[in-house]
C-alpha cells in the first residue's frame, strides 16, 4: 500500500506525523478543526527521530517513516516533550528499533520514566548543549514550563530548523504542511487560541525563552512545532505574536460573557455592550451555552475589560460561569479591568460570587449591577452607563 507518505520539509528533514481529523476536545479545549501530532525524521549517516505521536495512530506514523527508511535504521530518538500526544509511541519505538540513544531534557528523562517505567536509559541533555549525531548537528534548548517542566526545543544546525514542541503550534488538521499554503487569518486565530489556552499561564517564561533564543543568534529557516503547520514564511510574525501575547498588554477591547435563563441577564449584557460600542470600544458578547470556554479564552487574551453576567440559580452562579471563571483563573490573566452583573428572583448571590472570582484574579471590579426578575428601563440605563464607564477607563489606561 502506498499511503501515508512522509512529507519532505528540507533536504534532510521529513514530516512523519499524523493527522487527527476527528479530534474535537483536547483536555476541555474545543478543537473544531482537529489537530496533527507532528514528528520529524532527520536523515543522515545515523537517522534521528524527533518525537513520536499519540499511540492509537501507530500504523499511520510507521507508514510515514517507512516511506523514507526502514524504521529499524533510526539510530537516535529525541523526545522534546513527554506529554503523551508526542511520547505515546516512545516505548514501542525503543523496543522495536533499539536506538543507540534516546535524548530528553533533564526533566524529560525523569518524566519519561515516570510515564513509561522504561527499561533502558534515557540520556539527559543540558540547556544549549550542542551534539553531533553521525553527520548531523543539533543544539538542545531547554524550554522548561513551555508548557511542562520537561519541555525542550531542538535546533537542527545544518538546516536551521527549530523543532519547537508545543511552542508556536496550533490545533489544525489540514492536508497542507506549511504556513504559506494556508489562510493566514485561520493560522493567526488558531495559534492565538492555542497560546491562550495552553501557554498563557507561563507568559513570563515565554518572554525569557524568546530572549534566550534571540541571544543565541540562531537563524530559523523553519519552525517545526508538534501541532499544526510548519512555519517557513511567517516566522518573524509568529515570533512577534508570541512576544505580543506574552507581554499581556491589554487592548481597547471588551468581552462581555454571560449566560441567561429568561433573557434578563442577556438584556443587561446587550445594554452594557451597547454602552461600550457607543464609546468606540471593540466589543464582543459571548453567551456561554453557545460559546465554548476555550473560544472565550482566545477572545479574552487581549481584551482590556472582562465583564461577566450570571443569573442566580439555587443561590449560586449559573454553572457555565463557574466553569469558565475557574478555567480562566488557572490561565492567570493579567492587566484586565472587570465588571459584573446579573438577574435574580429572590436571593441574588450571583454577582457577589462573580465579583469574588474576579477579585481572586486581581481584576479590579468597576461596577456591579443586579436586576430582580426582569430589568427595568432604569436598570438597563445603568447597564449602558456601566459600559460607558468601562470604556472611559480603557481609554484612560490603554494607549
Ligand atoms: Fe502537544 Fe503538551 O502536548
Amino acid at each position: 500500500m502506498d499511503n501515508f507518505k512522509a512529507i519532505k520539509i528540507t533536504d534532510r528533514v521529513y514530516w512523519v506525523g499524523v493527522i487527527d481529523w476527528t479530534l474535537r476536545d483536547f483536555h476541555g479545549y474545543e478543537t473544531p478543526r482537529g489537530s496533527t501530532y507532528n514528528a520529524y525524521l532527520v536523515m543522515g549517516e545515523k537517522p534521528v527521530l524527533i518525537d513520536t505521536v499519540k499511540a492509537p495512530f501507530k500504523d499511520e506514523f510507521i507508514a510515514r517513516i517507512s516511506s523514507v527508511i526502514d524504521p529499524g535504521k533510526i539510530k537516535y530518538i529525541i523526545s522534546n516533550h513527554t506529554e503523551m500526544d508526542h511520547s505515546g509511541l516512545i516505548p514501542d519505538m525503543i523496543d522495536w528499533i533499539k536506538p543507540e540513544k534516546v535524548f530528553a531534557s533533564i526533566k524529560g528523562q525523569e518524566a519519561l520514566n515516570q510515564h513509561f517505567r522504561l527499561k533502558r536509559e534515557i540520556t539527559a541533555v543540558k540547556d544549549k548543549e550542542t551534539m553531533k549525531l553521525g553527520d548531523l548537528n543539533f543544539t538542545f534548548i531547554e524550554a522548561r514550563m513551555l508548557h511542562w517542566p520537561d519541555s525542550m526545543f531542538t535546533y537542527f544546525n545544518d538546516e536551521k530548523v527549530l523543532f519547537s514542541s508545543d511552542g508556536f503550534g496550533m490545533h489544525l488538521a489540514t492536508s497542507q504542511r506549511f504556513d504559506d499554503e494556508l489562510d493566514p487569518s485561520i493560522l493567526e486565530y488558531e495559534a492565538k487560541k492555542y497560546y491562550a489556552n495552553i501557554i498563557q499561564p507561563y507568559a513570563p517564561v515565554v518572554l525569557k525563552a524568546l530572549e534566550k533564543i534571540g541571544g543565541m543568534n540562531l537563524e530559523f529557516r523553519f519552525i517545526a512545532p508538534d501541532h499544526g503547520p510548519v512555519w517557513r514564511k511567517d516566522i518573524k510574525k509568529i515570533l512577534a505574536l508570541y512576544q505580543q501575547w506574552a507581554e499581556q498588554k491589554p487592548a481597547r477591547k471588551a468581552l462581555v460573557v454571560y449566560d441567561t435563563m429568561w433573557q434578563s441577564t442577556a438584556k443587561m449584557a446587550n445594554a452594557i455592550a451597547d454602552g461600550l460600542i457607543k464609546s468606540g470600544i471593540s466589543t464582543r458578547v459571548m453567551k456561554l451555552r453557545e460559546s465554548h470556554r476555550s473560544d472565550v479564552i482566545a477572545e479574552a487574551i487581549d481584551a482590556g475589560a472582562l465583564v461577566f453576567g450570571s443569573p442566580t440559580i439555587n443561590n449560586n452562579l449559573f454553572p457555565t460561569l463557574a466553569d469558565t471563571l475557574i478555567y480562566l483563573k488557572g490561565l492567570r490573566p493579567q492587566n484586565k479591568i472587570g465588571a459584573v452583573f446579573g438577574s435574580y428572583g429572590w436571593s441574588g448571590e450571583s454577582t457577589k460570587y462573580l465579583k469574588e472570582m474576579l477579585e481572586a484574579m486581581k481584576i479590579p471590579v468597576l461596577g456591579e449591577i443586579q436586576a430582580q426578575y426582569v430589568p427595568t428601563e432604569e436598570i438597563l440605563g445603568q447597564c449602558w452607563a456601566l459600559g460607558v464607564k468601562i470604556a472611559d477607563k480603557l481609554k484612560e489606561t490603554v494607549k
Side-chain angles (χ1 to χ4, degrees), residues 263-309:
Q263 299 307 309
S264 292
T265 306
K267 284 179 187 158
M268 298 170 82
N270 287 320
I272 294 168
D274 195 55
L276 283 155
I277 294 165
K278 199 86 175 176
S279 306
I281 297 298
S282 171
T283 301
R284 179 95 196 258
V285 179
M286 299 179 93
K287 180 187 167 193
L288 280 176
R289 270 174 294 162
E290 269 84 51
S291 309
H292 196 268
R293 69 174 87 80
S294 51
D295 288 311
V296 170
I297 297 304
E299 288 295 335
I301 190 159
D302 55 355
L306 301 179
V307 188
F308 287 94

Side-chain angles (χ1 to χ4, degrees), residues 26 81 83 85-86 147-148 166 194 226-227:
F26 193 94
H81 179 27
E83 195 163 7
D85 45 340
H86 310 299
H147 65 125
W148 275 24
D166 283 331
Y194 190 91
D226 274 358
H227 297 287

Side-chain angles (χ1 to χ4, degrees), residues 88-99:
L89 288 174
I90 292 251
D92 288 36
M93 295 306 283
I94 288 174
D95 286 350
W96 185 19
I97 66 180
K98 301 190 173 34

